Amino acid sequence: MLSWQLWCTSLFVLWICFLWTRRKLYSLMLKIPGPIGYPLIGIVHKIRHKEDVLPVLKHYLDKYGSFVLSWLGPMPFLIVADPLLTQDVLNSPHCVNKGSFYKVVEEAAGLGLFSMKEPHWSAYRKLFNPAFSHKMILSFIPIFNSEAAFLLKTVDKSVDCGGQNLKSLMEGFSLSIASQTIMGGDVKYFEHIRSNNLIKAFHGIVKSITDMGLSPWLISETMRKLLGKEEQFSKAKSQISGFLVKFIDSKLTKGSKAPEDDILINLGIDMMNRGMLTKEDLQSQLGIILFAAFETSANTVVYTLMLLAMFPEYQEKAFQELLSLFPNPGDFDVTYADTQNMGYMDLILNESMRLLAPVPIVARQTMQDVRLSNGIVIPKGVQIGIDIFHLHRDKKIWGENAEAFNPENFLPHNMQDKHPYSFIPFTKGIRNCIGWRYALVSIKLTLAKLLRNYKFSTNFKFEDLDFIENLTLGLKTVPLLEIQRRDC
Ligand code: HEM
């Protein structure tokens, strides 16, 4: 009988032979450092929980540098946290598709812009682009303002009431503006939007996506049923699709498009009428774009308030800037021009998205062999994870204090020598975030109204934050914030 050592050695030799048969991969292994892990499973055993993802990546980046090759099961997986190589990947027409992890997103949430592959992705992206144009963003500003006025009234009830978790309040607010700007103003009369049920359903889907990502056998419905995971998943799915179907049907019945011609749902309905989309396709497109919009924006507002509560000296500087733009407290309308005149707020928001990258990792898969600037050719079919979280915290780029909060990192003289791909919260290149301009305007407007009217404080220490990769960046514990009114 073989001893277990002999058994492992044989498996290892078989593994090397298997890799050797795939010559290009074998030669890649010789050129790029990284942990090979165990035969057939690679480093999968190191990532059992979503809490493990970021610490494991940090460990390997610290050990091997910012370009690491490893294996997730039998799949080769590159981790990239180097600005130049990130630029190569994000601008290569052969790296437009996302990795196989996004099959999980597709299984859980349907096929949407977020997970589509070429050649369909570029066609749909072109068709959806007008919904995020400058003209459309300007037309959304009254919605941002009126929803933020409603938000202020709600926040006002929490003044001097002890520590508050603002996450679900901000999620409700962001979902409401996202749905009105993507699906039309009349969506606000649907009770799903004001109730928390839709948000809970989105969270249910994200949980299923992360569960499936960590335990791929859960992609099978039978396995989900056997392991008792199906009920929660299908309930969340049907709640979201129930809402979307009801809303699309009400839009179809009304017929008229004006006055919001280019909002996304109308572009989608046009595509349906031209036979390019089914109603089910439109549903998944809308669902995924709503999620991409609301969760990232809500987290960014909450995390920025949290950082300013932890570092009050910067909150005071932001307040002084807002005081000069909006001398009177209470509700006021913020114009597009105002959002462009918030120089200090820009520094704060950038620094917040640098330290707490709202989307910590994005993935790609090579569609053909791709030559990078360092001369290395990545063969077709390799998964690539761009680790934005650690790229944004790299001491070689951001200095010894890379992990500290300092908005002045973004002063022009501190940025001038940095590679343009050192800071990529929305990524850049061919498949960046379609809503990045929208996000910046809506987030600045919201922060302006909140920070002009309230002072936020907390006892929670920055060093005690624990991060979770949850598609978006999650916190193990969301710090409670105390809120005081600014009366002048
Ligand atoms: C702070 C706010 C936001 C951040 C940090 C953010 C970040 C990102 C990132 C990193 C990606 C992946 C890009 C890639 O794979 O290279 C992405 C994709 C996407 N985002 Fe955003 N996003 C934000 C807000 C929004 C908003 C407000 C919308 C819509 C109104 C939106 C819609 C989308 C869509 C549809 C995609 C998929 C694009 C595609 O694959 O073509 N995002 N976002």
Side-chain angles (χ1 to χ4, degrees), residues 35-326:
I36 181 165
Y38 289 123
L40 301 177
I41 62 166
I43 59 161
V44 164
H45 61 293
K46 301 255 179 199
I47 307 176
R48 292 208 211 126
H49 309 282
K50 53 192 180 182
E51 289 82 352
D52 301 336
V53 177
L54 293 170
V56 166
L57 292 185
K58 177 163 171 46
H59 171 74
Y60 290 133
L61 291 167
D62 285 349
K63 186 161 176 192
Y64 297 105
S66 45
F67 188 48
V68 177
L69 179 69
S70 190
W71 299 81
L72 285 177
M75 287 185 303
F77 178 70
L78 262 178
I79 307 161
V80 182
D82 170 88
L84 180 61
L85 302 179
T86 297
Q87 180 177 25
D88 291 341
V89 172
L90 294 180
N91 286 284
S92 165
H94 308 310
C95 293
V96 173
N97 288 350
K98 305 231 171 154
S100 45
F101 177 70
Y102 286 78
K103 275 199 193 117
V104 170
V105 177
E106 208 174 300
E107 172 61 26
L111 188 60
L113 198 61
F114 202 68
S115 57
M116 284 178 111
K117 289 197 176 122
E118 283 295 45
H120 304 287
W121 170 78
S122 43
Y124 281 84
R125 173 88 182 214
K126 215 178 260 168
L127 288 162
F128 286 147
N129 267 335
F132 300 93
S133 66
H134 181 66
K135 183 184 103 194
M136 291 307 288
I137 293 170
L138 293 182
S139 78
F140 298 153
I141 288 181
I143 298 175
F144 298 160
N145 269 309
S146 73
E147 285 300 310
F150 186 74
L151 176 74
L152 287 189
K153 284 191 191 147
T154 319
V155 170
D156 213 63
K157 293 182 193 144
S158 303
V159 166
D160 298 328
C161 289
Q164 306 288 317
N165 182 342
L166 295 178
K167 191 149 157 54
S168 65
L169 176 64
M170 280 316 305
E171 283 177 343
F173 163 76
S174 292
L175 182 62
S176 181
I177 61 172
S179 53
Q180 289 179 57
T181 50
I182 288 167
M183 298 166 65
D186 35 355
V187 76
K188 67 179 169 209
Y189 304 113
F190 273 60
E191 64 81 35
H192 306 72
I193 293 297
R194 292 276 179 228
S195 80
N196 262 342
N197 291 347
L198 201 56
I199 292 175
K200 278 196 202 133
F202 274 116
H203 286 167
I205 293 289
V206 173
K207 178 157 184 347
S208 302
I209 291 175
T210 29
D211 285 351
M212 288 181 205
L214 296 167
S215 317
W217 49 90
L218 290 176
I219 295 179
S220 142
E221 188 180 331
T222 320
M223 288 304 286
R224 284 199 302 270
K225 279 186 178 151
L226 274 173
L227 297 169
K229 301 267 183 183
E230 179 58 16
E231 197 186 328
Q232 168 209 329
F233 174 60
S234 54
K235 189 173 161 206
K237 227 174 151 171
S238 72
Q239 266 179 331
I240 296 173
S241 69
F243 156 67
L244 291 169
V245 168
K246 210 166 158 189
F247 190 75
I248 295 170
D249 284 344
S250 82
K251 267 284 195 227
L252 290 174
T253 319
K254 280 189 206 144
S256 135
K257 293 199 315 182
E260 305 152 316
D261 269 349
D262 277 348
I263 61 167
L264 197 96
I265 195 167
N266 288 342
L267 300 177
I269 288 175
D270 268 354
M271 287 155 78
M272 250 173 77
N273 293 338
R274 284 189 276 146
M276 297 165 67
L277 272 185
T278 62
K279 206 201 289 183
E280 208 183 19
D281 294 336
L282 179 57
Q283 246 183 69
S284 11
Q285 290 287 358
L286 290 172
I288 286 183
I289 295 180
L290 275 183
F291 177 73
F294 95 87
E295 178 82 1
T296 44
S297 307
N299 283 350
T300 304
V301 172
V302 175
Y303 295 171
T304 307
L305 294 175
M306 170 191 89
L307 289 167
L308 292 177
M310 290 169 170
F311 301 98
E313 64 276 26
Y314 298 114
Q315 185 173 175
E316 199 47 38
K317 287 189 185 178
F319 174 66
Q320 290 306 326
E321 175 176 87
L322 292 169
L323 197 59
S324 69
L325 287 169
F326 311 107

Side-chain angles (χ1 to χ4, degrees), residues 419-436:
H419 188 284
Y421 279 65
S422 302
F423 175 63
I424 49 164
F426 302 99
T427 79
K428 289 183 177 173
I430 298 176
R431 195 170 185 169
N432 66 341
C433 170
I434 200 170
W436 71 274

Side-chain angles (χ1 to χ4, degrees), residues 163-164 166 300-318 348 352 356 405 407 447 451 454-463 465 478-484 486:
Q164 306 288 317
L166 295 178
T300 304
V301 172
V302 175
Y303 295 171
T304 307
L305 294 175
M306 170 191 89
L307 289 167
L308 292 177
M310 290 169 170
F311 301 98
E313 64 276 26
Y314 298 114
Q315 185 173 175
E316 199 47 38
K317 287 189 185 178
I348 286 175
S352 160
L356 308 183
F405 180 70
L447 284 172
L451 291 163
Y454 304 102
K455 187 171 174 179
F456 297 84
S457 51
T458 186
N459 292 327
F460 204 98
K461 295 273 168 285
F462 178 70
E463 310 74 74
L465 291 173
V478 179
L480 302 183
L481 303 187
E482 292 191 24
I483 308 171
Q484 287 165 297
R486 295 207 188 246

